[in-house]
Amino acid sequence: MTSDDDILDAIRQDSGLAELLWNVCEFDLARGDHGEPVRLSSGLALTGVAGDCTGGTFFLCGRDRTARPVLYAGSEGEAGLIGQNLGEALQIMVGLPSWRDCLKFSGAGDLAVMRTAADHLVRDENRDEPELGAQRIRLAAALSVDLPPVSALLTRLHAAVSATVPQFVLTVETGEQYETLFGTWLPSHNPAWH
């Protein structure tokens, strides 16, 4: 699968793949409506393609391109790029299902802090959801994406979110901007990680 459309078509045509994608990544093509009118600061087209269980939306940015950047908008008013195309965004989501929490506990976008958070999150996932590793491998194979090491995925995620400004800032009709995906919390703010 090379284009965003090929990936989306494959998911639409395979209910087992769609279910696995939901179980691992909370990525659901039936939830592409964001619920409020939004636009990009650059004026590029914005197409909602999927949503998650928290009310967040995954958008493709731009038109008529084989690969379009993917922007995630959370339900709490935060948004940013998570991949330069859908394949890269899914690779990050499959390889690092806790990507949202890595951003939340990033100390305002510090990659070293994200790595510390990821270490805790991966341990938690292995303890609480031991079946997730096998599901991730099956999903990566079905989507024809590699599973690089967590450190490489974090670097890509950090680079994508960092590239949000200035062209991919999400705004509402009144002109108010969504906040960055980089949260200010540190891993030490989570008492379970002490």
Side-chain angles (χ1 to χ4, degrees):
M1 289 179 254
T2 55
S3 77
D4 298 337
D5 290 332
D6 288 342
I7 294 169
L8 291 171
D9 287 344
I11 297 166
R12 287 184 189 108
Q13 294 170 10
D14 185 339
S15 61
L17 174 58
E19 182 178 348
L20 189 57
L21 193 54
W22 172 254
N23 290 340
V24 174
C25 303
E26 296 178 355
F27 184 89
D28 183 359
L29 296 183
R31 299 177 186 225
D33 179 21
H34 188 58
E36 73 174 331
V38 291
R39 63 180 179 82
L40 289 175
S41 55
S42 63
L44 285 172
L46 199 59
T47 306
V49 294
D52 64 16
C53 68
T54 67
T57 308
F58 299 91
F59 293 95
L60 294 179
C61 306
R63 291 185 203 267
D64 301 327
R65 293 176 58 190
T66 301
R68 294 172 281 176
V70 176
L71 182 131
Y72 174 76
S75 61
E76 301 298 318
E78 74 283 2
L81 293 177
I82 60 167
Q84 294 309 307
N85 56 59
L86 187 56
E88 181 180 280
L90 287 172
Q91 185 180 50
I92 289 168
M93 290 188 285
V94 173
L96 187 64
S98 58
W99 64 273
R100 290 176 201 83
D101 287 330
C102 289
L103 292 170
K104 178 180 178 180
F105 291 97
S106 72
D110 185 317
L111 185 55
V113 173
M114 289 174 67
R115 287 190 174 116
T116 300
D119 290 343
H120 290 291
L121 290 159
V122 168
R123 267 195 306 274
D124 290 351
E125 287 167 4
N126 290 337
R127 180 191 67 227
D128 300 337
E129 300 178 81
E131 73 287 349
L132 190 58
Q135 289 178 337
R136 289 171 48 224
I137 291 168
R138 284 190 8 240
L139 182 55
L143 292 170
S144 300
V145 297
D146 296 329
L147 286 179
V150 167
S151 61
L153 294 171
L154 284 170
T155 299
R156 289 182 195 170
L157 178 60
H158 184 271
V161 175
S162 297
T164 300
V165 176
Q167 290 192 3
F168 298 97
V169 175
L170 194 65
T171 64
V172 296
E173 288 182 323
T174 60
E176 291 177 72
Q177 297 180 351
Y178 275 54
E179 298 291 325
T180 179
L181 287 176
F182 288 129
T184 58
W185 289 12
L186 297 170
S188 59
H189 286 119
N190 186 333
W193 294 344
H194 292 192

